[in-house]
Amino acid sequence: MMMRPDAAFWQGKRVFLTGHTGFKGSWMCLLLHRLGAQVTGYALAPPTHPSLFELCRIDSLIDSVSGDIRDSQQLQTALLQAKPDIVIHMAAQPLVGLSYQEPVATYETNVMGTVYLLEAVRLARNAGIPIRALVNVTTDKCYENKEWPWGYREVDTLGGHDPYSNSKACAEMVTACYRAAFFQQDGQAQDLPPIGLATARAGNVIGGGDFTGGRLIPDLLRSLLADQPMQLRHPQAVRPWQHVLESLHGYLLLAQRLYGDSLRYSCSWNFGPDANDAKSVEWLAARLCQKWGKQATYEVDERASFHETTYLRLDSSQAREKLGWRPHWTIEQALDRIVEWTRAYQQQADMRQVCFAHIDQYGKEGAS
């Protein structure tokens, strides 16, 4: 049986979530709301229009604070006012392509943004706010990619050829430093238990409601909706594709364990799909065309303008053995959910209810 987030645990928990207006952050808001948590989100305005955040009217479900992760003073003020039990850090500049165009902003957001968040948590703890767990979401791309066909483990070397990947490797090291120097040593408030601090490295997350340019599934869906051939770059690149709910359930399971046993679970964690669901870009495009129907097609664009790795897989054995987490939906099922979501969006359905239905479906099937 797959372990799931415990609704009894999350009921009433105060959660401070950065990056809540993005694709993953919006799904996390919906999931936490479904579990009964009290969420304070901190982020800039939604990065796309349309956006999942707006379509699902998420600002009416949580306390939404508009702010830049690079504004340390505003971030500290928002966190102090929220008085959270748990912090989940998802704010980021998440695109490899954009990191080549804006490397300084990428490092400012992904590295210094992490520093400011960790510092805000440290100051809040010293002020007596009993934060018990912090999950910093980084990426599967934080590893030094050696183009090998087996999955990377949490103990493998960090690196990154592009500014995005490298900045996330830096964020991993910043987190490890704060954990050792402040959160589990004498520098913390003496009357509070050590804070659980972990990093989470997920695979290539896909799902309904992602409108981000430069990502495979949103770009493909835009082409399908326009009845145009999909354009592929790096068709033979292999990635660990997984539905967004897979990784989010992993993050919440990790937060639960950190809350109860900070020392044991304070480390880095991979959340990736089964090995046979690491597929090539072209395989994914062909399957999506087949599921979409209407003679959908794709073309290969040979004008790739920046370096991307060819092989990337994750070994998630640690999460399976120590958290009881495992992938539940196959890549085929994930694509089915994406097509369902997009068809509902075409028909102007209530997308909040569509997302809740997918969350509930995932939870019920995961318990079987």
Side-chain angles (χ1 to χ4, degrees), residues 97 101 219 223 228-235 299-308:
Q101 300 172 28
D219 288 347
S223 296
Q228 298 176 349
M230 301 183 291
Q231 301 294 314
L232 304 184
R233 67 175 193 267
H234 306 296
E299 298 174 350
V300 176
D301 183 354
E302 301 289 355
R303 299 169 297 173
S305 58
F306 55 87
H307 173 270
E308 289 188 273

Side-chain angles (χ1 to χ4, degrees), residues 152-167:
Y152 291 89
R153 300 172 300 167
E154 289 86 351
V155 296
D156 286 325
T157 305
L158 300 176
H161 295 291
D162 59 88
Y164 166 71
S165 302
N166 187 266
S167 69

Side-chain angles (χ1 to χ4, degrees), residues 135-147:
V135 176
N136 178 16
V137 177
T138 60
T139 178
D140 57 348
K141 297 176 181 63
C142 66
Y143 294 105
E144 180 184 345
N145 195 296
K146 300 180 180 179
E147 301 288 356

Side-chain angles (χ1 to χ4, degrees), residues 2-6 10 15 17-20 22-35 52 58 86 88-90 135 137-138 200-208 242-256 270-272 323 325-329 355 358-359 362:
M2 180 183 69
M3 294 293 293
R4 295 181 298 161
D6 183 359
W10 288 100
V15 180
L17 172 64
T18 70
H20 70 290
F23 162 62
K24 276 179 82 173
S26 294
W27 273 102
M28 179 63 92
C29 288
L30 294 168
L31 179 55
L32 285 169
H33 177 79
R34 209 62 165 170
L35 290 168
L52 186 64
I58 290 173
I86 295 170
I88 302 175
H89 179 40
M90 299 178 72
V135 176
V137 177
T138 60
R201 307 163 180 174
N204 282 51
V205 171
I206 58 178
Q242 62 186 156
H243 193 275
V244 61
L245 290 176
E246 304 279 16
S247 59
L248 298 187
H249 278 73
Y251 303 161
L252 296 187
L253 281 172
L254 175 57
Q256 286 180 206
N270 286 341
F271 297 98
L323 298 180
W325 176 90
R326 64 171 175 82
H328 177 62
W329 281 345
C355 289
H358 283 193
I359 289 171
Y362 183 94

Side-chain angles (χ1 to χ4, degrees), residues 162-308:
D162 59 88
Y164 166 71
S165 302
N166 187 266
S167 69
K168 284 297 194 174
C170 293
E172 287 274 350
M173 290 187 284
V174 167
T175 304
C177 174
Y178 262 76
R179 179 168 52 231
F182 302 114
F183 292 157
Q184 295 184 342
Q185 301 297 329
D186 293 338
Q188 67 184 354
Q190 295 300 310
D191 59 341
L192 296 172
I195 184 171
L197 173 57
T199 56
R201 307 163 180 174
N204 282 51
V205 171
I206 58 178
D210 190 358
F211 297 94
T212 310
R215 284 183 182 161
L216 179 63
I217 292 294
D219 288 347
L220 297 182
L221 288 173
R222 270 187 286 272
S223 296
L224 293 175
L225 289 169
D227 292 323
Q228 298 176 349
M230 301 183 291
Q231 301 294 314
L232 304 184
R233 67 175 193 267
H234 306 296
Q236 302 310 313
V238 174
R239 296 288 183 268
W241 312 102
Q242 62 186 156
H243 193 275
V244 61
L245 290 176
E246 304 279 16
S247 59
L248 298 187
H249 278 73
Y251 303 161
L252 296 187
L253 281 172
L254 175 57
Q256 286 180 206
R257 299 299 180 89
L258 288 168
Y259 191 93
D261 191 341
S262 62
L263 295 178
R264 182 179 179 185
Y265 296 98
S266 289
C267 56
S268 298
W269 299 82
N270 286 341
F271 297 98
D274 290 332
N276 58 359
D277 277 337
K279 302 291 189 182
S280 72
V281 166
E282 188 166 14
W283 182 96
L284 199 74
R287 293 300 290 157
L288 188 60
C289 282
Q290 183 182 51
K291 292 174 184 295
W292 189 262
K294 295 185 178 180
Q295 299 180 330
T297 60
Y298 64 87
E299 298 174 350
V300 176
D301 183 354
E302 301 289 355
R303 299 169 297 173
S305 58
F306 55 87
H307 173 270
E308 289 188 273

